[in-house]
Amino acid sequence: MKNLTNIPLSLFPNIITNKDVSIFIREIDDFIIKIFESRDSLEEKINDSFSENKSKIILKILKDFEIDINNISRLNDFFGFLKNSILQWPTLSIELSEELPRKVIRRISDWFIVNNDKRVILDIKINRKMLGGVSLYVDGKYYDYSLRKKINEMIYRGNLNLSNLLSNN
Amino acid sequence: MSNYMMMEIFQNVFISIAFVGNFIFLLLNLILMFISLSGIKKINKTHNKFIEDYMSKLDKADFKVRKIIDNTLDKSKYIIDDLSFRSEDIQKQVNKNMAKLVDKASLEFEQFILKLNKDADKQTKDMVMNMINNAQKELFNFIKQLKTETVSTKQEFANKLQNEFDKVVSDVYEYREKQLSLVEKSINRIIIKVVESVLSEGISVSEHERLITESLEKAKREEVFK
């Protein structure tokens, strides 16, 4: 059996927002209760408790760390450790003007992998006054890249033009 | 002589001596008692005499004190009576003198007033003449000053008018700027509302995504994610 190290976010490509994290933690809590409930095999319990994709990843991690899947105590320790790892995953708070489809959110998440060499959990809040664009909270600072800000700046400069507004920066 | 006999004689002698000793001791006690009794009697007698003398002295002192108080009261009464009499006398004297003084003062005052009336006639005439002269002078000066001031007032009035005009122009300009600013703000508010309503309905999901991606790229250029 190997020593446990922090389990990286990159192992779970489908966890992209803080809502996904909340669901995953709830699934882990349910599973920990189930460990002691029935006599079904623990592998079955894992498959029942998590989505197919997550189950596969969890079983692979257990195998990599050489954790005996039938050892209830070790399994309990592992999921406690996994929860702690999840709470340490990097998070970025962003504001959007409206709810966007998951595929768009995924692409936003992917943008960070490509452009920032780093996966982050997106903590998304909706602010309809923004009209479009994005606002970011980084290290306690607020960065406003919203469409409303752009409009206000154009009006202030006296060159408001809708075609300019939606054009590239 | 046997030892036994010797002891008996010695014993009898000792008893005799003891008896005589006791008798002498008793006698001495009686003498002391007698002396003590006579001493006490003598002390009592002396004490009584002292008390009698003391009481007698107290009586005498009391009598003297009463006598002094009576004398003092009599003298006080006499002095008070004398003073009352004298004060009445003094009062009468003062009243008399005051009457004399008032009479004298009244006479002097009457004479003074008569003299004052005579002087006043002359002074009044002089005063009226002075007043007329002064009034004439002041009137002349006033007319002279009025003539010169009319000229300077015209200039002053023109200056004031110019200042007022400048101020009004400045106020009008300020008011115009303020109103323009308010109009501009209202126009901006309307523009924002129109843009909001157009954009909220008109921006597609892909447009949103493009705006977001552009915003993130701008943030990257500005080193927000360093």
Side-chain angles (χ1 to χ4, degrees), chain A residues 92 96-98 100-101 103-104 107-108 111-112 115-116 129 131-134 136 138-139 143 145-148 150-152 155 160 162 165-169, chain B residues 184 187-189 191-192 194-200 202-226:
Chain A
L92 178 73
L96 302 176
S97 61
E98 59 185 81
L100 293 171
K103 59 182 180 182
V104 177
R107 283 199 285 271
I108 293 170
W111 183 92
F112 282 95
N115 291 281
N116 208 32
K129 285 184 180 177
L131 300 174
V134 67
L136 309 159
V138 181
D139 296 332
Y143 299 91
Y145 297 100
S146 67
L147 200 58
R148 172 174 279 275
K150 203 173 172 184
I151 293 167
N152 285 338
I155 288 171
L160 177 65
L162 284 181
L165 189 69
L166 298 175
S167 69
N168 292 348
N169 288 320
Chain B
E184 201 176 333
I187 290 168
N188 289 346
R189 225 176 286 136
I191 290 170
I192 288 168
V194 170
V195 171
E196 266 179 29
S197 61
V198 169
L199 292 180
S200 60
I203 300 182
S204 63
V205 171
S206 59
E207 198 69 39
H208 270 300
E209 189 181 347
R210 189 180 63 76
L211 285 168
I212 291 165
T213 311
E214 281 173 8
S215 299
L216 291 173
E217 275 161 10
K218 192 179 177 190
K220 190 187 171 190
R221 283 199 301 276
E222 291 174 1
E223 296 185 331
V224 171
F225 309 113
K226 62 182 172 181

Side-chain angles (χ1 to χ4, degrees), chain B residues 24 75 101-102 108 113 116 174 179 214 224:
Chain B
I24 290 164
K75 279 183 182 174
L101 279 171
V102 168
E108 280 177 4
I113 295 292
L116 207 66
E174 202 177 304
Q179 289 303 311
E214 281 173 8
V224 171

Side-chain angles (χ1 to χ4, degrees), chain A residues 2-168:
Chain A
K2 288 179 185 173
N3 284 332
L4 285 171
T5 54
N6 270 351
I7 297 154
L9 171 63
S10 55
L11 294 179
F12 296 90
N14 286 333
I15 295 177
I16 52 179
T17 67
N18 59 328
K19 280 183 189 170
D20 298 335
V21 169
S22 301
I23 291 166
F24 192 27
I25 287 176
R26 201 163 57 239
E27 286 169 345
I28 291 169
D29 288 338
D30 290 345
F31 174 74
I32 290 170
I33 294 165
K34 276 184 191 169
I35 292 176
F36 305 97
E37 267 182 357
S38 64
R39 290 189 176 184
D40 295 340
S41 77
L42 288 168
E43 190 172 343
E44 275 178 36
K45 284 178 185 175
I46 289 171
N47 288 326
D48 286 349
S49 301
F50 302 99
S51 66
E52 190 185 344
N53 193 17
K54 279 182 201 157
S55 299
K56 275 182 190 170
I57 295 162
I58 289 166
L59 290 169
K60 187 177 181 301
I61 295 168
L62 289 169
K63 195 178 171 188
D64 288 348
F65 281 107
E66 296 170 2
I67 295 167
D68 180 5
I69 199 165
N70 295 311
N71 184 332
I72 291 175
S73 172
R74 280 296 292 159
L75 212 56
N76 188 35
D77 288 347
F78 167 77
F79 279 101
F81 186 81
L82 178 60
K83 259 175 81 175
N84 280 336
S85 296
I86 293 167
L87 294 173
Q88 287 171 37
W89 286 346
T91 305
L92 178 73
S93 294
I94 63 169
E95 270 185 351
L96 302 176
S97 61
E98 59 185 81
E99 298 273 0
L100 293 171
R102 187 162 176 86
K103 59 182 180 182
V104 177
I105 300 297
R106 174 175 289 284
R107 283 199 285 271
I108 293 170
S109 177
D110 291 344
W111 183 92
F112 282 95
I113 301 168
V114 175
N115 291 281
N116 208 32
D117 298 328
K118 191 178 172 183
R119 267 204 68 200
V120 289
I121 298 292
L122 298 173
D123 180 7
I124 301 168
K125 288 186 174 62
I126 304 300
N127 177 4
R128 298 199 186 280
K129 285 184 180 177
M130 285 170 57
L131 300 174
V134 67
S135 295
L136 309 159
Y137 292 90
V138 181
D139 296 332
K141 285 184 183 173
Y142 180 70
Y143 299 91
D144 188 357
Y145 297 100
S146 67
L147 200 58
R148 172 174 279 275
K149 194 189 173 193
K150 203 173 172 184
I151 293 167
N152 285 338
E153 282 171 354
M154 281 180 164
I155 288 171
Y156 182 74
R157 289 197 301 264
N159 63 348
L160 177 65
N161 184 317
L162 284 181
S163 55
N164 282 344
L165 189 69
L166 298 175
S167 69
N168 292 348

Side-chain angles (χ1 to χ4, degrees), chain B residues 1-209:
Chain B
M1 197 182 294
S2 65
N3 283 340
Y4 179 75
M5 278 179 71
M6 282 286 283
M7 273 185 71
E8 199 169 324
I9 290 165
F10 187 71
Q11 195 174 6
N12 284 336
V13 170
F14 183 76
I15 288 166
S16 301
I17 290 165
F19 181 74
V20 171
N22 274 338
F23 181 73
I24 290 164
F25 181 71
L26 195 66
L27 199 66
L28 280 169
N29 272 341
L30 280 169
I31 291 163
L32 277 170
M33 231 165 91
F34 178 73
I35 291 165
S36 300
L37 282 170
S38 62
I40 288 164
K41 205 173 177 184
K42 202 176 174 182
I43 287 164
N44 276 339
K45 202 175 174 182
T46 313
H47 180 254
N48 287 339
K49 200 183 172 191
F50 174 75
I51 296 288
E52 275 173 19
D53 287 348
Y54 183 71
M55 291 304 286
S56 164
K57 280 178 185 172
L58 271 181
D59 286 342
K60 280 179 186 173
D62 184 50
F63 178 73
K64 277 184 182 175
V65 167
R66 279 174 191 283
K67 203 174 174 183
I68 288 164
I69 290 166
D70 288 343
N71 282 339
T72 310
L73 284 172
D74 287 344
K75 279 183 182 174
S76 302
K77 202 176 174 187
Y78 172 74
I79 289 163
I80 289 162
D81 289 345
D82 189 41
L83 272 175
S84 304
F85 175 75
R86 284 190 186 193
S87 73
E88 278 175 24
D89 197 31
I90 289 162
Q91 187 68 40
K92 278 177 190 171
Q93 196 67 34
V94 166
N95 288 341
K96 204 176 168 183
N97 287 337
M98 280 293 286
K100 275 182 187 174
L101 279 171
V102 168
D103 288 346
K104 199 183 169 189
S106 301
L107 188 70
E108 280 177 4
F109 184 70
E110 207 173 321
Q111 285 170 353
F112 173 74
I113 295 292
L114 282 171
K115 191 174 176 284
L116 207 66
N117 279 339
K118 279 179 192 173
D119 293 343
D121 281 345
K122 191 177 175 288
Q123 278 179 358
T124 310
K125 281 175 191 169
D126 292 346
M127 201 168 72
V128 170
M129 283 306 289
N130 279 336
M131 278 170 71
I132 290 165
N133 287 334
N134 284 338
Q136 278 178 341
K137 276 181 191 169
E138 278 180 21
L139 190 65
F140 177 74
N141 287 335
F142 175 71
I143 290 163
K144 195 179 169 186
Q145 196 181 355
L146 202 65
K147 281 178 183 169
T148 53
E149 274 185 1
T150 309
V151 178
S152 64
T153 305
K154 273 182 188 170
Q155 187 57 45
E156 202 176 316
F157 178 74
N159 289 339
K160 275 187 181 174
L161 199 66
Q162 185 61 45
N163 286 341
E164 285 299 316
F165 180 73
D166 291 345
K167 197 168 173 281
V168 169
V169 168
S170 163
D171 287 349
V172 167
Y173 181 76
E174 202 177 304
Y175 176 77
R176 181 175 149 272
E177 289 296 307
K178 208 171 171 181
Q179 289 303 311
L180 278 174
S181 166
L182 286 173
V183 169
E184 201 176 333
K185 276 180 187 170
S186 302
I187 290 168
N188 289 346
R189 225 176 286 136
I190 293 163
I191 290 170
I192 288 168
K193 278 194 176 178
V194 170
V195 171
E196 266 179 29
S197 61
V198 169
L199 292 180
S200 60
E201 288 171 13
I203 300 182
S204 63
V205 171
S206 59
E207 198 69 39
H208 270 300
E209 189 181 347

